[in-house]
Structures are given as C-alpha cells and as structure tokens.
Amino acid sequence: MIDFSYLAKVIRENRTFLISTHVNPDADAIGSEVAFYRILRKLGKTAYIINHSALPYNLAFLDSENIIQKYDAEKHAALFESVDVLAALDLNNPKRLVRVEDAFVNSSKVKICIDHHQNPASFVNHYFVDAESSSTGQIIYDLINETGIVQLDYELALPIYAAIMTDTGSFRFDRTTPAIHMIVARLLEVGVDPNYVYDQIYDQSHFGKIKLLGESLSSIRLAADNQIAYMVITREALKRSGAQEAEVDGFVNYCLSIRGVKIGMLFFELKDGIKVSFRSKGKIPVNLLAEEFGGGGHINASGIRLAGATLNDHVAQIVEAAEKYLAVEQKQ
Ligand SMILES: [Mn+2]
C-alpha cells in the first residue's frame, strides 16, 4: 500500500520539483508526468519535466502547454541541484533515465519514485510504488482520490485516462479490474472522450510506420513448437521505411496475436547494439527472461538493451533462452 498522505506531505512541504521518466516514454510515462505536473502547478509549486527522450508526436496532445523538455546537460544540469525534489515516474531503475541518470542519481536533493513495476532498484529516498497498480497514471489518480490534494478536472483526467488506457492495453490486460472501470467512469464524468484519446494515440500513424510494420510482420519466425514468435527489425529496414525508432513500440504485440503463440519477441537493431522486447501470455514470466540479460519489466511485458551486441550473435541465443519459460508457472 502506498502511503499517499506521506506523498501529499512531501508535495506540500516543498516548493520546486523536477520530474523525469524513462527512455522512449509511453502514454503512461507522459500522462503521469503531465498529471503530476498539473497537480503541483495547481498547488502553486514550480515544476519542470525533463526527459531523456523527445516527446513522441502521438502524445503531443497531452502536453498542450509545451512544458516537456528534452534533457540538455548544459541547460539543465544545475536544475538538478536547485529544485527541492526530484521525481522519477513510471520507472524503477535509474538506468532507464539514460542521459538523465547521472544528474538525477548524483543530486543531493530529495528523490522520490512513483511507479508500478516490480523490484525497484535502490536509488531514491521515498518510494511510492504499487506493483499491483495498472499504471503509474492510476497511482496519480489514487493520490488525488485518497488525499483530495486537488480537485479532479479535465486537465488531470485526460493524461490519467491516456496512461490507464494504454497500460491496460485498452482495458483488456490482467489488471483491468472493476476498480479501474470505476476510476475511468470518474474520468469520463469530467469530460474525457475515449474516442478522441484512442484516435490521438493509435490512429495518427505516419505512413512510414505502417510500411515498417508490414516488413516486420513479414519477418516473423516461429520457434519452440510454434509457441514463440519473433520479429526482427534492422537499421536498414528502419531507414528504408522512413519510420522513427519510437514508432516500433507495440509491433511486438502482433507476435502474440498468432494462435498458439505464448511468447512474442521483437529484436530491434540500434545504432550500437540491440533492443529486445518480450511479451507473454498468462503466467509466463518474461520479466525473468529479461533479467537474465540485465533487463527488466513486468511478468507479461519486459525488455532488454544490449550495447554493442549484434542481431547475428543474439537472436538464436535469446530465443533459446526463452524456451524454458514456456514451462514456468509463476506462483503469486
Ligand atoms: Mn507504466
């Protein structure tokens, strides 16, 4: 259980805040940052959002005031020592801050983490973590609901809805509970339009992204008695399509849409290394698979980044490593 009254106390007793989130931010990352920022602003606080990554274009509608900044060491390093509180949202390992990591970790200021991933690393003073929560956005909602620190309005409900909708896979993943639908009902009551949010996030693709998706689907291979499906995206395919790196988020889910497949993987070639996303059905713990290679995540969604690694050297190895999890039932 998160001690929301303590979180409210940290907010009330401090004046300036710096918020950051993980590399390649999704709608939960951006939505919870924007909602948290707006809570702080309503309380008269000064706040900044500074991320490693640029704001993805399909999430720009969540940042109508253009408050999100991309980290620039020269411009921002001093801020990490001048604000009162640093807040890491939707991540539990400082490595996920990438270029922001050093400034964040080395700051002498109070640090907090608001998140819903399992097994947080030790890197902040106060944790507000609920691994049972559907999303960080839900935790931000709970903060408002439990403490009444501010009144829920459309400006807060919109980013919170975007966060919950995307992290629940549009209300179908495991943590899509009655409580979530209750929360969503409140968000709709203050004006959120589900059709608008879905359209902004999922139906504004660049043509290049769809072309790359086509190529990625053609690359799918099956393994382990057709229970594992994996796709491979090379630098060359990315370049040819004109798509951006962040646009491949979500492609991996198509692997799981094949009948009989229980683990889906996306191998993505980086400028220097590879990134692999894992998805699974049921109780297959792909977070443990990711941990084998220094990554992390949730039981059904996780990932790794391997600097300097090549597709040639790692695809077969990682597919093979995944096979044993087909038999693992994680007891919880
Ligand atoms: Mn999340």
Side-chain angles (χ1 to χ4, degrees), residues 108-328:
S108 62
K109 301 301 175 168
V110 173
K111 293 163 213 159
I112 65 173
C113 168
I114 304 175
D115 182 48
H116 67 123
H117 296 86
Q118 287 170 333
N119 309 323
S122 170
F123 74 111
V124 299
N125 305 91
H126 306 292
Y127 291 86
F128 302 99
V129 173
D130 181 357
E132 298 294 306
S133 201
S134 69
S135 53
T136 303
Q138 184 185 354
I139 297 173
I140 302 294
Y141 176 87
D142 290 341
L143 165 68
I144 297 168
N145 190 46
E146 303 261 333
T147 65
I149 192 162
V150 293
Q151 188 98 39
L152 182 72
D153 62 12
Y154 180 75
E155 299 306 313
L156 295 169
L158 175 70
I160 290 172
Y161 180 89
I164 295 175
M165 181 192 84
T166 52
D167 262 28
T168 57
S170 302
F171 311 105
R172 71 185 200 277
F173 294 162
D174 266 2
R175 288 175 187 150
T176 307
T177 56
I180 282 287
H181 281 285
M182 243 58 113
I183 290 171
V184 167
R186 292 288 325 282
L187 303 177
L188 299 197
E189 270 169 7
V190 295
V192 171
D193 175 355
N195 185 36
Y196 167 73
V197 178
Y198 192 96
D199 182 72
Q200 289 293 312
I201 293 178
Y202 292 122
D203 291 341
Q204 301 286 338
S205 299
H206 291 141
F207 186 40
K209 172 187 165 176
I210 299 304
K211 285 199 294 187
L212 184 62
L213 172 62
E215 224 178 298
S216 308
L217 294 174
S218 299
S219 81
I220 293 182
R221 297 284 175 273
L222 298 173
D225 262 341
N226 303 340
Q227 293 182 91
I228 294 177
Y230 60 97
M231 50 170 65
V232 177
I233 303 177
T234 62
R235 249 13 242 174
E236 214 182 285
L238 182 72
K239 219 173 138 192
R240 200 165 42 236
S241 68
Q244 297 162 24
E245 188 177 324
E247 290 180 304
V248 305
D249 283 358
F251 283 13
V252 63
N253 296 312
Y254 286 95
C255 293
L256 272 193
S257 72
I258 302 166
R259 189 183 182 104
V261 168
K262 293 182 181 143
I263 297 179
M265 300 185 201
L266 164 63
F267 292 88
F268 184 83
E269 188 176 21
L270 301 167
K271 275 196 205 101
D272 179 30
I274 61 170
K275 178 173 93 169
V276 194
S277 307
F278 303 115
R279 295 290 183 275
S280 69
K281 284 193 173 174
K283 296 205 179 337
I284 296 172
V286 285
N287 54 322
L288 301 185
L289 172 61
E291 282 166 24
E292 266 190 56
F293 296 93
H298 304 283
I299 173 167
N300 295 131
S302 66
I304 55 176
R305 270 174 184 263
L306 300 174
T310 64
L311 292 169
N312 272 343
D313 289 346
H314 288 82
V315 173
Q317 182 203 356
I318 292 170
V319 170
E320 199 189 312
E323 285 190 31
K324 59 182 171 292
Y325 294 100
L326 290 166
V328 175

